[in-house]
């Protein structure tokens, strides 16, 4: 599976569009590293995951997945996951054996396949709260926005796997020192509350939020 800091512009666009729809979803990759999104729409109450062809999420390429491996169920506005002894290899959330309710950004491991659970309604509430505290296009300085645009630049018209621009690439484009780029990025990580994410994830998340919130538009790239 590709590093979580590496994805294609098309994959990123697909995830942003799914978040905007406001419906919980699972995102994962198949054996050929193609991205798949499974929407947990309102009419669904139960979703099965397994290698059997009758599974709602069919992981036929993963030899570590049982025929019926795990079940996801809706309880109110929440989703839970359980395997109840269905699988030989078990199911894990954030590295721990299945524990029930799923939270936004939880990572499930089904066999050797990783799935990220997203619940955009929770994210939207959090982002609205952040926006109310002043994080908006108007609150990002011109210098910070130029750094954001340069950071997002590799995602322009790219269908292959790409990563956000490096500090050196940003510095070269904007005629800044590396230290100046780092200073701007640290401020942006704090402003968008992504500073606690792993290093290889917070740059990608910053790109996602910049594009999703309209602080950087496709025309800017």
């Amino acid at each position: 599976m590709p590093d979580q800091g590496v994805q294609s512009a098309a994959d990123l666009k697909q995830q942003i569009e799914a978040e905007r729809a406001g419906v919980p979803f699972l995102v994962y990759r198949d054996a050929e590293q193609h991205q798949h999104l499974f929407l947990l729409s309102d009419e669904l109450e139960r979703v099965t995951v397994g290698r059997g062809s009758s599974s709602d999420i069919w992981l036929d390429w993963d030899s570590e997945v049982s025929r019926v491996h795990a079940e996801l169920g809706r309880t109110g506005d929440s989703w839970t996951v359980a395997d109840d002894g269905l699988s030989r290899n078990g199911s894990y959330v954030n590295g721990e054996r299945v524990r029930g309710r799923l939270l936004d950004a939880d990572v499930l491991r089904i066999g050797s396949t990783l799935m990220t659970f997203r619940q955009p309604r929770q994210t939207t509430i959090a982002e609205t709260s952040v926006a109310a505290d002043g994080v908006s296009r108007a609150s990002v300085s011109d210098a910070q926005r130029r750094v954001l645009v340069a950071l997002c630049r590799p995602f322009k018209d790219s269908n292959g796997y790409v990563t956000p621009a490096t500090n050196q690439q940003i510095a070269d484009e904007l005629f800044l020192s590396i230290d100046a780029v780092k200073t701007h990025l640290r401020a942006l990580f704090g402003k968008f509350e992504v500073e606690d994410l792993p290093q290889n994830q917070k740059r990608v998340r910053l790109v996602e939020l910049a594009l999703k919130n309209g602080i950087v538009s496709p025309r800017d790239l």
Side-chain angles (χ1 to χ4, degrees), residues 187-206:
L188 289 165
F189 292 150
K191 191 165 289 189
F192 286 92
E193 297 189 348
V194 299
E195 67 267 46
D196 293 332
L197 291 176
Q199 186 64 35
N200 68 329
Q201 293 181 28
K202 60 186 176 183
R203 296 172 75 94
V204 172
R205 186 59 179 158
L206 187 57

Side-chain angles (χ1 to χ4, degrees), residues 21-103:
V23 177
F25 63 92
L26 293 165
V27 57
Y28 59 98
R29 297 187 185 278
D30 61 25
E32 296 179 348
Q33 307 305 338
H34 296 142
Q35 176 174 279
H36 296 265
L37 269 68
F38 187 92
L39 299 181
L40 300 167
S41 55
D42 289 343
E43 60 268 19
L44 294 176
E45 298 292 335
R46 175 177 170 273
V47 173
T48 57
V49 184
R51 196 149 51 97
S53 59
S54 62
S55 298
D56 298 306
I57 300 178
W58 188 21
L59 308 180
D60 61 318
W61 64 85
D62 192 336
S63 61
E64 296 183 22
V65 173
S66 300
R67 187 176 63 83
V68 179
H69 195 104
E71 291 183 355
L72 282 79
R74 179 192 296 278
T75 304
D77 291 332
S78 300
W79 279 88
T80 60
V81 61
D83 65 11
D84 293 330
L86 292 171
S87 65
R88 181 172 56 187
N89 293 323
S91 306
Y92 297 81
V93 176
N94 301 327
E96 299 180 0
R97 195 68 185 254
V98 158
R99 53 163 173 68
R101 184 186 176 195
L102 292 172
L103 301 177

Side-chain angles (χ1 to χ4, degrees), residues 158-201:
S158 175
N159 291 318
Y161 289 109
V162 293
T163 59
T166 65
N167 290 344
Q168 186 64 63
Q169 288 171 327
I170 296 171
D172 291 344
E173 177 178 334
L174 301 180
F175 302 101
L176 295 173
S177 68
I178 295 291
D179 286 342
V181 171
K182 289 180 178 179
T183 297
H184 286 309
L185 286 174
R186 278 196 297 269
L188 289 165
F189 292 150
K191 191 165 289 189
F192 286 92
E193 297 189 348
V194 299
E195 67 267 46
D196 293 332
L197 291 176
Q199 186 64 35
N200 68 329
Q201 293 181 28

